[in-house]
Amino acid sequence: MDFLLNDIHTDLRDTVAAIGEKAGGSAVARAWSEGDHAPALTVYRQLAEAGITGLIVDDALGGSGAGATEMVVAAEQIGRIALPGPVAETLAAVPTALAAAGASDALEALLGGRPATLAAAATGYRAAAPADADVYLLRDGTLSSASVVAEHASVDPTRTVADVEAGAALGSADESAVAQLGALATAAQLIGLGSAMLDLASDYAKARKQFNRAIGSYQAVKHHLADVAIAVEMARPLVHGAAVGLDGNAPEGTNVARDVSAAKVAAADAAYLASRRSLQVLGAIGYTAEHDLSLYLTKTRALVSAWGTPAQHRALILETL
């Protein structure tokens, strides 16, 4: 397997990063948490126009005809700006389900820039971030349109969760395939979040001085940040390797489902470590809602358990050993 990004991947990465930067970066998440969803919805439309929401959808169905490998490259960059709303669902889980069910009208709306979310067994039958999104329910292999019954607060105000009830049946979809793509997209987001928090903490450690020395020059701080960098860099190949497996390019005999679970666990651990160490480095300022770190902390906390908790994925890994 080739884990290196080729020119197409780096162009894709740069395109998504440019969309996020032009939109204002983390300012999009801050606007959402204050009730203004318009900037985030603009980003979703721009991602759709660039073909990002159709990366795992075949050309014949109106998608980009790429694959999971390209999807995780895009999702990591989206994670770096903590984009609000149902990111993993819009990029991976819902298009997979709609394509399998043959729901062409609904798929066309998603590919046109409309966010979408989905409740399934892997999400505890709750849909994430249903506001301004099309909502679906996947139960016992049947995909249905859905409506929100009750919305609940979340540690991440940009990713609430909701109980839903089924509407019209749209067709059949493989629950396992949808869950694996949802988990993998979430893992890629977590890598992006971890990288962004490492950058925030590193920049602060270079600028903040005590006893006339940058705090980053002290070993205690330096080693904290090095641990995060290692954790992120060790998790990223697992995410890319699982994506290669989902694209059907892994060596024969590879247990792709186990690789997805391993990637989700490693990415969650890396992002959680990044959140703890970044908070330590930034000190009290990191606790404040006014600092961008708070946006990353809350999203990391929410995504660690999204599409399967670390304990659930570790149990899945153990079952295959």
Side-chain angles (χ1 to χ4, degrees):
M1 290 189 289
D2 186 357
F3 291 97
L4 297 177
L5 300 183
N6 59 34
D7 291 343
I8 294 175
H9 295 143
T10 54
D11 287 347
L12 172 64
R13 179 196 62 195
D14 295 343
T15 297
V16 177
I19 290 173
E21 184 177 354
K22 185 177 179 181
S26 58
V28 178
R30 189 170 299 286
W32 184 292
S33 63
E34 294 171 354
D36 182 6
H37 297 185
L41 295 176
T42 298
V43 173
Y44 278 98
R45 283 195 297 273
Q46 292 173 339
L47 290 173
E49 290 168 2
I52 307 303
T53 56
L55 284 172
I56 60 171
V57 179
D58 288 344
D59 295 336
L61 298 175
S64 304
T69 307
E70 288 73 20
M71 182 273 293
V72 297
V73 171
E76 178 178 340
Q77 294 306 310
I78 293 171
R80 289 187 66 89
I81 64 166
L83 181 66
V87 173
E89 292 75 12
T90 301
L91 262 64
V94 177
T96 301
L98 292 176
S104 55
D105 289 345
L107 185 57
E108 184 178 353
L110 183 147
L111 297 178
R114 172 79 175 166
T117 188
L118 176 144
T123 69
Y125 291 110
R126 281 183 166 177
D132 300 310
D134 291 328
V135 184
Y136 300 95
L137 171 64
L138 180 58
R139 187 189 292 271
D140 299 329
T142 298
L143 179 69
S144 307
S145 61
S147 56
V148 173
V149 177
E151 193 168 355
H152 306 282
S154 165
V155 64
D156 176 12
T158 72
R159 188 180 165 89
T160 56
V161 293
D163 300 321
V164 304
E165 64 179 9
L170 300 174
S172 300
D174 184 335
E175 292 187 54
S176 177
V178 170
Q180 287 174 18
L181 279 159
L184 188 62
T186 305
Q189 272 187 275
L190 285 163
I191 293 297
L193 286 164
S195 298
M197 287 186 282
L198 177 61
D199 288 347
L200 278 174
S202 298
D203 289 345
Y204 184 80
K206 293 173 186 173
R208 179 80 165 89
K209 292 186 177 180
Q210 283 190 340
F211 307 110
N212 293 322
R213 290 175 58 188
I215 62 172
S217 66
Y218 294 103
Q219 279 198 341
V221 175
K222 194 183 301 182
H223 287 184
H224 266 0
L225 298 178
D227 288 343
V228 175
I230 291 169
V232 170
E233 293 305 319
M234 293 295 286
R236 184 180 287 112
L238 294 181
V239 174
H240 287 194
V244 169
L246 286 178
D247 285 336
N249 297 319
E252 187 177 351
T254 300
N255 189 322
V256 177
R258 181 172 62 195
D259 287 355
V260 171
S261 288
K264 178 64 167 44
V265 170
D269 285 351
Y272 187 58
L273 179 65
S275 67
R276 292 177 54 199
R277 295 291 169 83
S278 298
L279 192 54
Q280 284 181 289
V281 171
L282 269 77
I285 191 174
Y287 284 104
T288 62
E290 290 76 11
H291 198 283
D292 280 353
L293 182 61
S294 65
L295 302 171
Y296 292 95
L297 295 176
T298 52
K299 184 156 292 294
T300 297
R301 192 66 182 173
L303 293 186
V304 160
S305 58
W307 290 96
T309 65
Q312 289 170 328
H313 281 289
R314 285 192 171 93
L316 290 172
I317 295 170
L318 283 174
E319 289 174 4
T320 66
L321 299 178

